[in-house]
């Protein structure tokens, strides 16, 4: 009996213990569930707060652009030209940056805990074990010891700091593409030799002049103890490459508004378009300089040649990528659907940039030449609606992206946390940029004038020297890598250089034009045939003035490339040998036969080098043969017209009847009355 009672008592105790353990387990599960639910609620609240913060940050930039546009309208309405829209965008960005940096403070979050542990490296991703749960943390950047207690303010400023890849992959392509797509080709090719000299030779000379001067400045800083980190000669050359990229958007806008001499406009615009591409490839070649041995900053001839090979390979490879998007619009029926046609044109143009970058080449070069070739070839395949849409689309994207970048420049002067401002380096940079630009313009102009029939006058040279503004490309190259002390100092100095050139040089463009007595109000259409030099002497554009290489290229392009890639130009059946008849019929589109009497070539009015050109004024016919001799027919009234006088009159006016390979432009009857019945 006693043993039975003991057993019952033990069973009772066991049941109580089991119930207690079960209750404890249930409580623990409920607590964990409650904690998990609380964590989910906190996470959702943080996600919602982050979403609101991101929306507010984007709203700040939208308001900046809106305010800039309204101020631009006011300036245009009042005819103020002392400050361009890009300068305005920078000023507004500066004001917003001051407010974000000094006027707004985010209260500290009590849940934030700062723990320290010693590691030998800074991993990009960190896994933290908290009570058996693993959390992933991403590296955001280095902060100084004095900023540890200002984590919330740093996070707010970091929110308005974009990833540098955003500039290269999203904002830069529309700007560069629009530069090539809107290029005035007839003036560009008329000065092609000079533009190539300034863009290639001049940019390289400027890079090395600036690099050498900055290296001397760095050595001086090292001697007096003002250098806080490593700064090598390759870093100085890299700085020279990025600040050699000119962006005279302010000057060109004023030139366009005032209708400044077309040749000066073409020289400045062509140089700025091409030297951006040269600066990008040059900077990547300098980064790729890797001599053998432990010291990667010593001079070595083989490494130098390798970098030069990288320059040529990257530039030529990127150029080849620009030739990819032509063919789809010709061999499809997308003309019947303008919206799809415009969308495909836009996507293929942008994909050229991304494809070149993904393959290790330079997207800037690819998308620049893509814009030029798209305007020359693919534009002719588009329907009229798509032609208008693409022009307006890329003009809008260029305007928004450019002003966004300049607004962001002003903002980063106060929101970027790792600025390194050194007065000696800044003064040296301004002096080096000035001397580098002078070494680009004046010696090259002297050499070019030795072979030019119409010289680049001294006032043009002074204007080009003054108009060497720095802008979006310089900023994008400098912000792409700010990890080291040298790159941080370069970025901070680059901002000041951009601010000074845009505000001072850009704002003084009108006064500089007046000081140099450069004529304005020039009709660019008439400039195709008649222009007046700075000395007041009238000059005419003839076939001898065009670059000889361009004349040869034009014939090849007109007879073969345009018929293959577009619907315009003469049919291949008329230009290829008879043995190539089947291939010619296959590659020639039906529209080419329909448009055989209409030449859609905006460059044909510049090139007068055909074997047989016939100029018809009413009943008067002036013809030239391959030797350049010309004869004239006799009008019905029996009055003979001197052929030299008739040809001179033809070259002096752009609205005439011109027959080239079956192409006919109607001669204005009023001009006929003015010319021949006075």
């Amino acid at each position: 009996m006693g043993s039975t009672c003991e057993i019952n008592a033990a069973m009772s105790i066991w049941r109580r213990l089991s119930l207690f353990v079960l209750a404890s387990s249930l409580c623990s599960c409920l607590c964990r569930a409650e904690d998990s639910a609380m964590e989910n609620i906190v996470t959702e609240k943080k996600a919602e707060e982050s979403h609101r913060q991101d929306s507010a940050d984007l709203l700040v930039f939208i308001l900046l652009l809106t305010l800039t546009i309204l101020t631009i309208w006011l300036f245009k309405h009042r005819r103020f030209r002392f400050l361009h829209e890009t300068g305005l965008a920078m000023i507004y960005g500066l004001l917003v940056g001051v407010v974000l940096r000094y006027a707004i403070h985010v209260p500290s979050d009590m849940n934030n805990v700062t723990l320290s542990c010693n590691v030998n490296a800074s991993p990009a991703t960190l896994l933290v074990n908290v009570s058996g749960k693993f959390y992933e943390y991403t590296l955001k950047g280095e902060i100084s010891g004095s900023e540890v207690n200002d984590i919330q303010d740093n996070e707010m400023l970091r929110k308005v700091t974009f990833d540098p890849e955003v500039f290269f992959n999203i904002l830069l392509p529309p700007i560069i593409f629009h530069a090539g797509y809107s290029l005035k080709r007839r003036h560009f090719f008329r000065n092609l030799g000079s533009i190539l000299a300034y863009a290639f030779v001049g940019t390289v000379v400027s890079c090395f002049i600036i690099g050498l001067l900055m290296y001397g400045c760095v050595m001086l800083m090292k001697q007096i103890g003002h250098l806080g980190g490593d700064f090598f000669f390759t870093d100085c050359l890299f700085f020279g490459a990025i600040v050699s990229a000119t962006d005279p958007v302010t000057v060109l806008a004023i030139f366009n508004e005032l209708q400044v001499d077309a040749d000066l406009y073409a020289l400045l615009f062509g140089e700025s378009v091409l030297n951006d591409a040269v600066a990008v490839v040059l900077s990547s070649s300098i980064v790729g300089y890797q001599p053998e041995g432990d010291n990667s900053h010593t001079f070595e001839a083989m490494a130098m040649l390798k970098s030069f090979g990288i320059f040529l390979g990257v530039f030529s490879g990127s150029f080849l990528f620009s030739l990819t998007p032509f063919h789809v619009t010709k061999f499809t029926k997308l003309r019947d659907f303008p919206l799809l046609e415009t969308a495909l044109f836009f996507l293929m143009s942008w994909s050229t940039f991304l494809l070149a970058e993904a393959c290790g080449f330079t997207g800037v070069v690819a998308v620049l030449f893509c814009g030029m070739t798209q305007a020359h070839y693919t534009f002719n395949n588009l329907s009229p609606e798509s032609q208008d849409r693409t022009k307006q689309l890329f003009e809008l994207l260029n305007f928004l992206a450019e002003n966004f970048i300049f607004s962001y420049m002003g903002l980063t002067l106060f929101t970027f946390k790792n600025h390194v401002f050194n007065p000696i380096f800044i003064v040296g940079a301004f002096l080096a940029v000035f001397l580098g630009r002078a070494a680009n313009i004046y010696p090259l102009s002297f050499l070019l004038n030795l072979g030019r029939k119409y010289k680049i006058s001294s006032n043009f040279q002074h204007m080009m020297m003054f108009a060497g503004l720095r802008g979006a490309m310089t900023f994008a190259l400098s912000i792409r890598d700010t990890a080291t002390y040298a790159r941080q100092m370069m970025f901070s100095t680059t901002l000041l250089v951009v601010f000074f050139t845009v505000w001072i040089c850009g704002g003084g463009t009108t006064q500089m034009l007046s000081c140099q007595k450069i004529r304005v109000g020039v009709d660019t259409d008439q400039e195709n045939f008649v222009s007046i030099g700075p000395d007041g002497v009238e000059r005419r554009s003839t076939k001898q003035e065009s670059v000889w290489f361009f004349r040869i290229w034009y014939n090849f392009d007109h007879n073969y490339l345009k018929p293959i890639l577009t619907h315009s130009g003469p049919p291949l059946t008329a230009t290829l040998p008879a043995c190539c008849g089947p291939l010619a019929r296959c590659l020639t589109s039906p529209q080419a036969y329909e448009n055989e009497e209409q030449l859609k070539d905006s460059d044909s009015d510049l090139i007068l080098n055909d074997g047989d050109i016939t100029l018809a004024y009413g009943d008067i016919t002036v013809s030239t043969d391959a030797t350049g001799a010309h004869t004239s027919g006799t009008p019905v009234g029996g009055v003979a017209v001197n052929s030299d006088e008739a040809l001179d009159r033809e070259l002096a006016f752009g609205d005439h009847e011109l027959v080239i390979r079956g192409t006919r432009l109607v001669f204005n009857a009023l001009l006929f009355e003015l010319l021949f019945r006075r």
Side-chain angles (χ1 to χ4, degrees):
M1 186 72 179
S3 61
T4 304
C5 291
E6 290 175 358
I7 292 172
N8 291 335
M11 293 294 293
S12 176
I13 293 173
W14 175 254
R15 283 194 294 269
R16 290 176 181 176
L17 287 173
S18 300
L19 290 173
F20 177 76
V21 171
L22 181 61
S24 299
S25 300
L26 290 173
C27 289
S28 178
C29 291
L30 290 174
C31 289
R32 284 198 296 269
E34 185 177 354
D35 291 341
S36 178
M38 290 297 295
E39 288 181 1
N40 291 336
I41 293 174
V42 171
T43 302
E44 290 177 358
K45 287 184 177 180
K46 288 184 177 180
E48 185 177 353
E49 291 176 0
S50 178
H51 171 71
R52 291 178 179 176
Q53 181 66 40
D54 293 339
S55 300
D57 295 336
L58 290 176
L59 179 62
V60 168
F61 287 102
I62 296 298
L63 292 177
L64 276 175
L65 291 177
T66 304
L67 187 59
T68 301
I69 291 172
L70 292 176
T71 313
I72 292 169
W73 168 81
L74 180 62
F75 276 33
K76 288 184 179 295
H77 182 68
R78 300 292 183 183
R79 298 184 182 276
F80 293 153
R81 295 193 182 97
F82 61 87
L83 190 61
H84 189 250
E85 60 229 35
T86 53
L88 282 172
M90 292 169 67
I91 292 175
Y92 291 141
L94 281 171
L95 296 177
V96 173
V98 170
V99 172
L100 291 177
R101 182 67 181 269
Y102 300 108
I104 299 179
H105 295 283
V106 180
S108 300
D109 189 353
M110 300 303 296
N111 294 324
N112 285 335
V113 178
T114 302
L115 300 176
S116 61
C117 60
N118 295 324
V119 293
N120 296 324
S122 54
T125 303
L126 188 65
L127 296 178
V128 179
N129 185 351
V130 180
S131 301
K133 291 185 177 181
F134 289 89
Y135 297 90
E136 180 181 358
Y137 291 84
T138 303
L139 179 67
K140 291 187 175 180
E142 181 184 1
I143 61 173
S144 63
S146 60
E147 296 175 341
V148 173
N149 296 325
D150 298 327
I151 298 296
Q152 294 299 111
D153 287 344
N154 292 337
E155 181 65 21
M156 179 196 65
L157 295 178
R158 193 177 289 113
K159 285 281 190 180
V160 296
T161 304
F162 288 92
D163 187 341
E165 293 303 314
V166 171
F167 290 96
F168 256 80
N169 294 331
I170 297 178
L171 295 178
L172 267 187
I175 297 175
I176 303 300
F177 182 87
H178 180 262
Y181 197 58
S182 61
L183 186 70
K184 295 181 178 179
R185 286 167 290 149
R186 59 171 66 96
H187 299 297
F188 177 84
F189 285 110
R190 192 165 68 185
N191 297 277
L192 182 61
S194 302
I195 290 172
L196 291 177
Y198 288 127
F200 283 86
V201 180
T203 303
V204 173
V205 169
S206 175
C207 168
F208 279 90
I209 292 294
I210 294 174
L212 290 171
L213 291 174
M214 293 312 299
Y215 187 66
C217 183
V218 168
M219 289 296 99
L220 175 62
M221 293 165 56
K222 188 175 182 179
Q223 289 294 326
I224 62 178
H226 280 205
L227 194 64
D230 293 333
F231 211 118
F232 302 101
F233 180 61
T234 51
D235 295 321
C236 296
L237 284 181
F238 180 82
F239 179 73
I242 63 176
V243 297
S244 295
T246 59
D247 184 18
V249 57
T250 304
V251 177
L252 293 176
I254 296 175
F255 278 13
N256 190 49
E257 185 177 352
L258 296 178
Q259 293 184 318
V260 177
D261 186 281
D263 285 334
L264 176 60
Y265 185 95
L267 287 172
L268 265 179
F269 183 73
E271 181 210 0
S272 67
V273 166
L274 290 180
N275 85 340
D276 281 354
V278 175
V280 172
V281 181
L282 189 59
S283 62
S284 63
S285 301
I286 294 171
V287 172
Y289 175 78
Q290 291 293 337
E292 296 180 358
D294 296 333
N295 191 350
S296 61
H297 299 282
T298 58
F299 176 79
E300 186 177 294
M302 288 303 298
M304 187 74 176
L305 292 176
K306 183 179 178 181
S307 294
F308 182 71
I310 292 174
F311 177 86
L312 295 179
V314 170
F315 200 95
S316 58
S318 302
F319 174 76
L320 292 178
F321 276 104
S322 69
L323 307 177
T324 54
F326 306 143
H327 313 284
V328 176
T329 53
K330 176 179 178 179
F331 297 106
T332 59
K333 297 291 185 179
L334 282 174
R335 290 172 59 92
D336 300 333
F337 305 96
L339 179 61
L340 301 180
E341 188 179 33
T342 304
L344 182 64
F345 182 91
F346 172 79
L347 294 175
M348 294 193 67
S349 301
W350 205 312
S351 65
T352 303
F353 178 91
L354 299 176
L355 180 62
E357 290 287 335
C359 294
F361 294 94
T362 301
V364 171
V365 177
V367 79
L368 169 63
F369 287 103
C370 177
M372 297 171 65
T373 49
Q374 292 277 58
H376 190 62
Y377 295 109
T378 313
F379 185 82
N380 292 323
N381 297 335
L382 301 177
S383 62
E385 295 87 349
S386 296
Q387 290 178 351
D388 293 337
R389 285 178 178 177
T390 53
K391 283 184 177 180
Q392 295 170 1
L393 173 64
F394 283 105
E395 186 177 4
L396 174 64
L397 291 176
N398 170 74
F399 175 81
L400 293 177
E402 202 162 56
N403 282 279
F404 183 91
I405 289 179
F406 279 93
S407 298
Y408 187 72
M409 285 186 202
L411 195 70
T412 52
L413 187 62
F414 292 97
T415 59
F416 184 70
K417 301 295 293 183
N418 298 314
H419 277 304
V420 178
F421 292 105
N422 189 300
I424 299 178
F425 190 86
I426 292 171
V427 173
F430 275 94
L431 180 63
V433 167
F434 176 81
L435 294 178
R437 182 66 178 171
N440 177 352
I441 298 299
Y442 295 116
L444 279 180
S445 299
F446 172 77
L447 295 176
L448 289 170
N449 283 338
L450 297 178
R452 283 179 64 104
K453 183 176 181 181
Y454 300 104
K455 313 301 182 183
I456 303 174
S457 59
S458 59
N459 58 349
F460 278 20
Q461 296 177 37
H462 297 330
M463 192 68 225
M464 294 176 67
M465 171 71 191
F466 183 80
L469 281 66
R470 273 61 178 178
M473 181 58 68
T474 300
F475 174 76
L477 288 173
S478 63
I479 200 177
R480 199 172 191 182
D481 181 8
T482 55
T484 64
Y485 169 83
R487 296 297 178 90
Q488 291 167 3
M489 185 184 294
M490 283 189 273
F491 173 66
S492 303
T493 306
T494 297
L495 278 180
L496 298 182
V497 171
V498 174
F499 290 163
F500 179 85
T501 55
V502 171
W503 288 337
I504 304 301
C505 298
T509 301
T510 306
Q511 290 76 13
M512 188 65 178
L513 287 172
S514 301
C515 178
Q516 296 300 320
K517 298 180 180 179
I518 296 176
R519 66 195 183 105
V520 297
V522 179
D523 186 356
T524 56
D525 291 331
Q526 187 174 352
E527 277 286 291
N528 297 334
F529 297 95
V530 176
S531 59
I532 299 175
D535 53 359
V537 178
E538 183 180 283
R539 55 188 175 93
R540 292 182 172 86
S541 298
T542 64
K543 66 178 181 179
Q544 288 80 12
E545 184 179 355
S546 303
V547 181
W548 65 269
F549 174 77
F550 178 54
R551 296 200 302 269
I552 297 174
W553 167 257
Y554 172 79
N555 283 330
F556 176 77
D557 174 65
H558 176 82
N559 291 330
Y560 303 106
L561 290 185
K562 276 206 167 184
I564 292 175
L565 299 176
T566 72
H567 300 299
S568 62
L572 288 172
T573 52
T575 57
L576 288 177
C579 60
C580 301
L583 179 63
R585 287 189 293 272
C586 178
L587 294 178
T588 303
S589 65
Q591 289 88 341
Y593 296 103
E594 298 174 5
N595 299 332
E596 188 174 0
E597 297 298 325
Q598 300 176 3
L599 180 64
K600 296 181 179 180
D601 189 352
S602 59
D603 298 324
S604 61
D605 53 359
L606 176 63
I607 308 302
L608 302 176
N609 61 340
D610 297 314
D612 183 32
I613 300 179
T614 301
L615 311 171
Y617 297 92
D619 298 320
I620 304 168
T621 301
V622 180
S623 62
T624 66
D625 55 23
T627 64
H630 46 273
T631 59
S632 63
T634 303
V636 176
V639 181
V641 179
N642 182 272
S643 60
D644 290 333
E645 182 182 355
L647 184 58
D648 286 343
R649 287 176 175 175
E650 186 277 324
L651 291 172
F653 293 94
D655 193 8
H656 52 272
E657 181 178 354
L658 177 63
V659 180
I660 303 178
R661 298 192 189 98
T663 304
R664 180 173 296 273
L665 303 177
V666 178
F667 176 76
N668 189 288
L670 178 58
L671 288 180
F672 174 80
E673 294 286 341
L674 293 175
L675 283 172
F676 299 102
R677 298 187 180 179
R678 286 187 290 183

